[in-house]
């Protein structure tokens, strides 16, 4: 099994948890946890499935991403195509597809959806203007990455299940992090890793879980995460600000400096810049073992 190959522990699970215990046991310690029954009082718990999204948002045009490697042709987070939401959901329900919706502000596009959830009182300072939805087809994958803003994230699964692999920031040195970016090398398949090519992965200590409808995953600041949709489905993330000045400063650097520098270098050097970064990812990681 994959757990025997990668060094992954099961993410702890609780049925419910108080605000005090959540903050003390997980936020302050920066450890992940799955809360199984956090949202059963939300209308979304009973209402939100792919058919409901199609009903309320079917006429919206949505940006789609596939699993092609990042190249100089596309900017970071630039969609690969667009489609009506109704057509996309028909595609999800009819066959496997690599097309995903990533970081789409559907709740802003369809305000009706905001009536179906509330921000949990869990001791986090949520960015209330930034609830985001993510959609994917069966067996589609989200590459290993961490978020540019170092947010604390509550990630809620709807309509099916997905596998989530997490690594704390301390493990970055083993994850073949691509310089001037937020990703590991995209040719790593974390569901079936090639340890001959990427031996440092054996040293990385992470977490794994299978997230089901209605469950909430807490991902602490700067945690790496890779998702595999085990069924067609979607998720919502609620983001909360970093708690310390160090991670806030890292977020500001990523947003103000790193992102623009990388885009400039792609425009100037093209694919040579992408290739250079991938080589450096190998060299720097292997220097750590």
């Amino acid at each position: 099994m994959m757990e025997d190959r990668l060094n992954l522990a099961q993410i702890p699970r609780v049925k419910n948890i108080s605000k005090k215990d959540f903050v003390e046991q997980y936020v302050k310690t920066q450890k992940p946890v799955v809360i199984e029954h956090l949202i059963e009082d939300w209308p979304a718990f009973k209402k939100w499935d792919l058919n409901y999204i199609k009903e309320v948002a079917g006429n919206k045009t949505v940006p789609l991403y596939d699993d092609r490697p990042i190249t100089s042709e596309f900017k970071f987070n630039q969609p690969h195509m667009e489609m009506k939401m109704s057509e996309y959901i028909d595609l999800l329900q009819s066959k496997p597809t690599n097309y995903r919706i990533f970081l789409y502000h559907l709740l802003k596009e369809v305000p009706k959806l905001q009536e179906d959830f509330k921000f949990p009182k869990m001791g986090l300072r949520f960015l209330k203007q930034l609830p985001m939805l993510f959609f994917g087809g069966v067996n589609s994958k989200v590459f290993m990455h961490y978020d540019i803003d170092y947010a604390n994230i509550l990630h809620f699964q709807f309509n099916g299940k997905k596998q989530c692999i997490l690594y704390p920031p301390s493990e970055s040195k083993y994850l073949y992090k691509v310089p001037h970016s937020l990703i590991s090398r995209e040719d790593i398949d974390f569901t079936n890793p090639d340890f001959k090519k990427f031996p440092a992965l054996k040293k990385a200590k992470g977490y794994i879980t299978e997230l089901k409808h209605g469950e909430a995953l807490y991902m602490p600041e700067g945690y790496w995460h890779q998702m595999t949709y085990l069924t067609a489905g979607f998720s919502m993330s609620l983001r909360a600000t970093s708690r310390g000045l160090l991670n806030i400063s890292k977020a500001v650097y990523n947003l103000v400096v790193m992102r623009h520098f990388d885009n400039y270098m792609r425009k100037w050097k093209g694919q040579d810049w992408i290739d250079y970064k991938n080589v450096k990812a190998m060299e720097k990681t292997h220097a750590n073992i």
Side-chain angles (χ1 to χ4, degrees):
M1 294 179 63
M2 187 182 58
E3 293 95 326
D4 298 327
R5 301 178 63 191
L6 291 170
N7 192 350
L8 301 175
Q10 288 290 327
I11 297 175
R13 287 176 163 265
V14 296
K15 300 294 184 183
N16 288 291
I17 192 168
S18 68
K19 171 183 171 181
K20 179 182 177 182
D21 287 346
F22 175 68
V23 170
E24 291 294 326
Q25 296 175 25
Y26 299 104
V27 179
K28 287 186 177 180
T29 62
Q30 289 289 278
K31 299 293 185 183
V33 64
V34 174
I35 309 172
E36 295 179 346
H37 301 298
L38 180 63
I39 68 167
E40 291 184 357
D41 62 336
W42 290 8
F45 179 74
K46 292 183 178 180
K47 292 167 62 175
W48 281 20
D49 60 20
L50 290 173
N51 290 327
Y52 181 70
I53 298 297
K54 182 179 178 180
E55 175 186 332
V56 300
N59 65 334
K60 296 294 181 180
T61 299
V62 294
L64 300 178
Y65 303 81
D66 59 26
D67 56 359
R68 73 186 72 179
I70 291 175
T71 68
S72 58
E73 179 183 356
F74 290 92
K75 293 182 179 179
F76 183 70
N77 282 352
Q78 180 178 349
H80 300 131
M81 71 172 297
E82 294 181 337
M83 188 181 293
K84 290 289 187 182
M85 176 64 87
S86 59
E87 296 172 349
Y88 176 61
I89 289 178
D90 286 343
L91 177 63
L92 291 182
Q93 293 178 322
S94 64
K95 61 182 180 181
T97 176
N98 290 329
Y99 281 116
R100 296 176 290 105
I101 298 178
F102 179 68
L103 275 179
Y104 183 60
H105 206 332
L106 186 62
L107 301 179
K108 180 179 179 181
E109 298 290 326
V110 188
K112 178 180 176 65
L113 293 173
Q114 298 185 35
E115 302 170 3
D116 295 338
F117 74 94
K118 58 187 176 182
F119 290 86
K121 296 179 179 179
M122 300 295 287
L124 298 172
R125 299 187 297 268
F126 287 110
L127 300 168
K128 295 191 176 182
Q129 69 275 27
L130 286 178
M132 296 290 183
L133 294 182
F134 306 78
F135 292 72
V138 60
N139 294 326
S140 62
K141 295 180 174 65
V142 181
F143 52 81
M144 182 67 75
H145 68 287
Y146 63 95
D147 287 3
I148 195 168
D149 58 354
Y150 275 78
N152 291 279
I153 298 171
L154 280 177
H155 188 74
F156 307 90
Q157 176 66 16
F158 296 98
N159 199 119
K161 54 188 178 180
K162 65 166 55 167
Q163 177 183 273
C164 310
I165 297 176
L166 307 185
Y167 287 100
S170 61
E171 304 306 287
S172 296
K173 58 185 177 290
Y174 300 128
L175 295 178
Y176 297 88
K177 180 185 181 302
V178 177
H180 309 292
S181 71
L182 311 167
I183 63 173
S184 64
R185 280 190 53 131
E186 293 174 90
D187 51 345
I188 298 175
D189 180 356
F190 279 86
T191 65
N192 186 28
D194 182 348
F195 290 117
K196 291 183 178 179
K197 186 175 182 180
F198 306 110
L201 293 177
K202 288 186 176 181
K203 291 185 171 292
K205 296 179 180 179
Y207 301 91
I208 189 171
T209 197
E210 187 175 293
L211 205 61
K212 302 178 183 66
H213 176 87
E215 295 182 339
L217 169 63
Y218 169 61
M219 293 188 287
E221 300 166 22
Y223 260 60
W224 293 84
H225 44 284
Q226 185 275 331
M227 310 292 192
T228 302
Y229 288 84
L230 302 178
T231 68
F234 64 101
S235 305
M236 180 176 71
S237 283
L238 300 181
R239 315 178 73 79
T241 56
S242 302
R243 303 175 73 250
L245 287 177
L246 178 60
N247 282 349
I248 290 174
S249 66
K250 290 178 180 178
V252 170
Y253 172 81
N254 289 342
L255 289 163
V256 175
V257 178
M258 185 201 70
R259 179 173 58 176
H260 297 291
F261 173 74
D262 189 51
N263 284 337
Y264 169 77
M265 292 299 292
R266 287 192 205 191
K267 185 180 294 185
W268 181 30
K269 294 290 188 179
Q271 190 60 37
D272 287 345
W273 174 243
I274 305 295
D275 296 340
Y276 166 80
K277 292 197 301 175
N278 280 325
V279 170
K280 285 298 180 183
M282 299 292 281
E283 291 176 353
K284 290 185 176 182
T285 302
H286 289 162
N288 293 320
I289 58 173

